[in-house]
Amino acid sequence: MAATETPSITSERPALEQGVRDIGLFLRQAFHTFRATGAVAPSGPALSNALTRFLDERADPNAGMSILEAGAGTGPVSRAVAARMREGDTADLVESNAEFASYLSDLTTTDPALSRVADQLTVHQALVTDLGTDRSYDLIISGLPFANFTAEEVREIFEYYFTVLRPGGHLSFFGYLYTKEVKAVIAPREEYLRQARSSWVVEEWVNRYGIGSERILPNIPPAWIHHLRKPVEE
Ligand SMILES: C[S@@+](CC[C@H](N)C(=O)[O-])C[C@H]1O[C@@H](n2cnc3c(N)ncnc32)[C@H](O)[C@@H]1O
C-alpha cells in the first residue's frame, strides 16, 4: 500500500466524524457477532496509547521493530501504533471480521496516522492463529476478547503468540475490569465457569511472563492491561 503524498479530502475528515463512523460500525458488528467482537465500543485514546508502551520504550532505538496487532477492529490501537512507527518498522494488522478488515484497509489510505506509514502496514483478514509460524515479532498487541473464548482457545492463542514472539519481545493485551464479577451475578453458571476457566489460562501466562499491569479507568468499559516479556533464554 503506497503512502499518499498529499492528504486527500477524505483524510481531512474531522476526527469527530471519523469517531462516529468507527462507533457505528463497531456497534453493528458487536450486535451481530458479540462473542468475537467482545466489546461495546472501540478502545479510547487512553487505552490505545497505553498499549503502545513498548514502541515508546524501544530496546534499541536504531533498530526497526516488527509489530503484530491482533484483533484490530476499527483501528483505534492501530492508529496509536502507526503514530509511533518509524522508518524500518513494519506492522501486521490482523482482524477476523471481514467488515472490520475492509474498513481498516480503507483507513490505510484515508486516515492521517495510518496513511503516513501505509507502505509499512499489512492488513490481514484472518484468525490470528492462521497467520502461520514462519514470521516473528518484537511486539504483539492483542485486543482479542479472551473473556469470551474457551480455555482451549485462549491457550492456543498464547502459545501462538509466544511462538512468533522473538526472545526479549513483548506482548501487551487488555480486557475489561469486573467482567467475571458481573457474570457471577447475571450469567448462567456454565457461562460463568467457562469464563473463569479461560481467565485462569490468562493468569497462568501472566504469572509466568508478566512484567507489569495497568488499570485504564478512562475507557468504556474501564480496562486492565498486562505486559508480558518473552525471556531471552528459557
Ligand atoms: C475487543 S475488540 C478490539 C478491537 C480494537 N482493537 C479496539 O481496541 O477497539 C476484539 C476484536 O478482535 C477480533 N477478533 C476476535 N477473534 C479474533 C481472532 N481469533 N483473530 C483475529 N481477530 C479476532 C474481533 O473481530 C474484534 O474486532
Side-chain angles (χ1 to χ4, degrees), residues 17-42 74 97 99-100 102-103:
E17 193 183 320
Q18 177 72 59
V20 170
R21 271 167 48 99
D22 287 6
I23 291 169
L25 175 62
F26 203 95
L27 279 176
R28 283 196 300 281
Q29 293 304 312
F31 181 74
H32 292 299
T33 60
F34 189 74
R35 182 178 180 272
T37 305
V40 289
T74 52
N97 178 310
E99 295 281 333
F100 285 151
S102 145
Y103 184 78

Side-chain angles (χ1 to χ4, degrees), residues 154-212:
V154 174
R155 188 174 299 286
E156 184 196 356
I157 292 165
F158 272 95
E159 279 170 0
Y160 178 74
Y161 288 165
F162 273 74
T163 301
V164 293
L165 199 56
R166 290 196 180 121
H170 292 96
L171 163 67
S172 297
F173 66 98
F174 72 92
Y176 300 115
L177 287 167
Y178 310 122
T179 52
K180 215 160 51 170
E181 289 79 358
V182 170
K183 276 206 177 139
V185 178
I186 64 166
R189 185 179 150 75
E190 262 318 298
E191 171 58 11
Y192 170 73
L193 288 176
R194 182 207 50 74
Q195 190 186 339
R197 285 189 204 102
S198 64
S199 73
W200 295 334
V201 178
V202 172
E203 276 171 34
E204 195 184 309
W205 288 80
V206 171
N207 290 339
R208 212 184 305 167
Y209 299 115
I211 54 165

Side-chain angles (χ1 to χ4, degrees), residues 103-142:
Y103 184 78
L104 209 53
S105 290
D106 290 347
L107 285 183
T108 62
T109 57
T110 60
D111 177 83
L114 291 165
S115 62
R116 183 185 69 85
V117 290
D119 56 354
Q120 295 160 252
L121 303 175
T122 310
V123 176
H124 305 259
Q125 197 245 305
L127 293 173
V128 67
T129 44
D130 285 348
L131 274 192
T133 51
D134 57 339
R135 43 184 82 234
S136 58
Y137 298 99
D138 301 297
L139 173 63
I140 299 177
I141 298 178
S142 174

Side-chain angles (χ1 to χ4, degrees), residues 83-99:
R84 289 163 174 81
M85 282 174 67
R86 302 180 187 166
E87 206 181 318
D89 293 346
T90 56
D92 285 325
L93 311 178
V94 188
E95 174 49 58
S96 58
N97 178 310
E99 295 281 333

